[in-house]
Amino acid sequence: MNWLSILLKDMGHEPPVVPWENLVADASARDGFVRERAVIAIAKTGSDAALPILLARANDWVVQVRQAAYAGVGLYLTGQYIQAWAMALDELVALDRAGRTDHSPLLERIKSFLSTPENLCVLKESSRPRTADVARWLFAFELAIPLSDEARFQQLREAILGADIVVASAALSAMSMLSPDRRASLASEACASAFSSVRAAGLRAVLTGASPASESLIRTMCRDASPNVRALAIAELKDDREGLSEELRTAYRTAGSAKQRAVALDVLCSLGVDDADLLCRTASADRASQVRAVAATRRFGLVDGMACDQLVLETLSDRSPRVRRIALARIRKGAQPPNAQALLQLVEANPAAFDLLARVATYLSPWDRVEFLLSATAHFVADRTFLDGASRELRMWCADMSRCFVQPSLQQSSNILRHWAAVRDGLTLDLQRRLANHLRDFRVLA
């Protein structure tokens, strides 16, 4: 019971007791007068459970309800209620983000009360599970409080090495609050973050700092899981590139995990070893798709012309979607896609690749594309799942044909007619009608 309730009771004005459940329900009632009375009554209870309700109603759409909630929240700005604040952080964060009206005067009072070292310690050590929003709010709140250089360093270090990328990135952006020596130490700590973007930013800070980066750190970052981080480190590697190459060659041969082999292969190629092409060709048969993906990416950087066209076909035949997507990316950048017959052979060998091969077919002429779609559908017309996917692609072809002015060749028309006759009856009537309309428009059908 708070001081106001005690004073009223001593004066003989003790109100009738209303069950707590009723007060909570009334605080969300549709009638603003009911909500206002409930908020006043809830505030008078002095209960820790009242604070979240008061904070929620502080953003009420009725001015009088907000004012009552503001007054009620003010009663909780004393040390005896700090545990209640620790349990109401979700509602406080929601109020801080609310935009119905300007809550800054109330929020400044609250933050001023919570900003003492003792209160902040209670908030951080609360046993209640902390949401990401609350953790981020607490970090930003603590960031605005003056701290010693050592305390600030520990705060930022903990955030950078934590499990929240938003907090880690914000901590790295706050490095300027530290002394130069601490700043350099924090940048080095960031190179051990769980997030590649933070590691990359930390490494950039190390490389552009006043003190030269240590060779051991650069060599360590050359083996990072992120290609961006590795590229930064390799570009700064000055001495003993040959020694690093030998280390990674050994790691590639003996590494147990696919990730380690993939990183080693990629770094060897980045270092420009003489047998990079041979290594990648050998790695194209690796059992791990991660390694084959690195090999395919690197091989595309070494070939052009007909060799690139052949590599596209080879990569599209890979059993892994990860590797096949690399070939699709090269086609999007201008590589020549395989023709309709080659795509059909690929889908016959691996029906699961149809969706990606259908994307490849969009880079063919519209008539080669529909020839591939119809021929693939004819081959798997008994497979209901495949037919559904093929029907979806045929509808997309129909939609794209509204922008087509290319006439089919006689050979294309002949092939399309043959496949159309084989699949027509397996398609829905609506799709049959739409396809037939386009085929008639270009005189493929009479």
Side-chain angles (χ1 to χ4, degrees):
M1 184 178 295
N2 60 31
W3 65 268
L4 181 59
S5 300
I6 295 172
L7 178 61
L8 289 172
K9 183 177 180 181
D10 291 343
M11 294 174 63
H13 297 291
E14 187 171 3
V17 177
V18 180
W20 174 256
E21 295 77 9
N22 293 1
L23 290 176
V24 172
D26 287 348
S28 301
R30 298 180 62 180
D31 189 324
F33 293 106
V34 175
R35 294 200 304 278
E36 183 182 5
R37 287 195 300 269
V39 166
I40 293 171
I42 286 173
K44 289 178 179 178
T45 65
S47 167
D48 285 0
L51 183 56
I53 301 172
L54 296 175
L55 289 169
R57 294 274 60 88
N59 193 44
D60 198 277
W61 55 94
V62 175
V63 175
Q64 290 80 0
V65 178
R66 290 202 300 270
Q67 291 173 342
Y70 278 24
V73 170
L75 299 175
Y76 283 79
L77 297 177
T78 63
Q80 72 183 95
Y81 289 117
I82 186 58
Q83 286 293 343
W85 284 103
M87 303 301 287
L89 286 176
D90 286 316
E91 290 75 17
L92 177 56
V93 171
L95 182 64
D96 199 12
R97 297 168 63 178
R100 176 168 284 127
T101 189
D102 182 15
H103 300 295
S104 56
L106 175 64
L107 289 169
E108 287 305 317
R109 290 177 61 199
I110 294 171
K111 291 177 181 179
S112 177
F113 163 68
L114 296 178
S115 62
T116 65
E118 298 79 9
N119 290 347
L120 189 58
C121 183
V122 173
L123 296 183
K124 293 177 66 176
E125 294 179 357
S126 171
S127 59
R128 184 175 182 178
R130 190 180 302 169
T131 64
D133 285 341
V134 168
R136 292 166 186 175
W137 185 90
L138 278 173
F139 176 75
F141 175 54
E142 189 177 7
L143 205 60
I145 299 172
L147 295 175
S148 67
D149 198 45
E150 172 63 22
R152 181 69 72 198
F153 172 79
Q154 293 300 333
Q155 178 206 10
L156 297 181
R157 179 180 180 276
E158 180 182 346
I160 280 175
L161 299 179
D164 189 329
I165 188 172
V166 174
V167 173
S169 300
L172 197 61
S173 299
M175 280 200 309
S176 59
M177 303 174 73
L178 299 172
S179 63
D181 289 344
R182 292 288 188 188
R183 205 176 304 160
S185 297
L186 188 67
S188 297
E189 293 282 359
C191 293
S193 170
F195 307 103
S196 61
S197 60
V198 177
R199 295 197 303 275
L203 182 57
R204 287 191 195 96
V206 169
L207 297 176
T208 57
S211 303
S214 67
E215 191 68 20
S216 61
L217 175 63
I218 292 176
R219 288 174 68 89
T220 298
M221 301 313 285
C222 284
R223 302 177 179 84
D224 194 87
S226 166
N228 291 335
V229 177
R230 294 199 299 269
L232 285 171
I234 291 171
E236 290 295 318
L237 192 65
K238 296 179 176 62
D239 302 321
D240 200 23
R241 295 173 72 93
E242 186 175 341
L244 180 61
S245 298
E246 289 305 315
E247 285 181 28
L248 289 166
R249 198 180 294 277
T250 301
Y252 176 66
R253 290 195 301 265
T254 61
S257 73
K259 184 175 183 179
Q260 290 172 326
R261 295 201 307 279
V263 168
L265 176 63
D266 193 55
V267 176
L268 285 169
C269 293
S270 295
L271 291 172
V273 296
D274 294 336
D275 58 342
D277 183 54
L278 177 61
L279 285 172
C280 289
R281 288 179 179 277
T282 304
S284 296
D286 196 279
R287 65 183 183 276
S289 63
Q290 192 171 2
V291 179
R292 298 200 305 276
V294 170
T297 301
R298 288 295 182 173
R299 288 181 68 190
F300 273 118
L302 300 172
V303 297
D304 54 18
M306 293 185 64
C308 182
D309 298 343
Q310 181 58 38
L311 184 55
V312 165
L313 189 61
E314 178 185 332
T315 307
L316 286 174
S317 66
D318 195 276
R319 60 187 180 275
S320 168
R322 172 190 291 194
V323 180
R324 295 196 296 269
R325 283 194 291 269
I326 294 170
L328 177 58
R330 297 301 299 190
I331 291 170
R332 285 173 173 158
K333 291 180 180 179
Q336 181 66 32
N339 60 34
Q341 185 58 38
L343 290 179
L344 178 61
Q345 292 173 356
L346 289 173
V347 81
E348 287 175 352
N350 183 11
F354 173 74
D355 286 345
L356 185 137
L357 295 176
R359 301 277 65 74
V360 172
T362 61
Y363 293 89
L364 300 173
S365 80
W367 302 108
D368 286 339
R369 177 186 175 189
V370 76
E371 179 184 341
F372 162 68
L373 295 176
L374 290 174
S375 61
T377 306
H379 193 83
F380 294 100
V381 71
D383 186 332
R384 187 71 247 177
T385 301
F386 189 96
L387 186 59
D388 289 342
S391 297
R392 182 180 63 253
E393 294 295 334
L394 287 168
R395 290 189 185 92
M396 293 172 64
W397 179 84
C398 289
D400 292 341
M401 286 301 289
S402 62
R403 300 180 294 276
C404 178
F405 301 95
V406 179
Q407 290 289 338
S409 67
L410 290 177
Q411 184 62 49
Q412 287 173 328
S413 295
S414 175
N415 293 341
I416 291 168
L417 272 176
R418 186 175 73 256
H419 298 313
W420 169 249
V423 304
R424 179 186 57 202
D425 294 339
L427 304 177
T428 63
L429 292 177
D430 175 66
L431 183 54
Q432 286 184 43
R433 177 183 57 78
R434 292 175 64 186
L435 283 165
N437 286 341
H438 289 297
L439 296 179
R440 289 193 188 94
D441 286 344
F442 288 88
R443 300 185 181 181
V444 177
L445 290 179

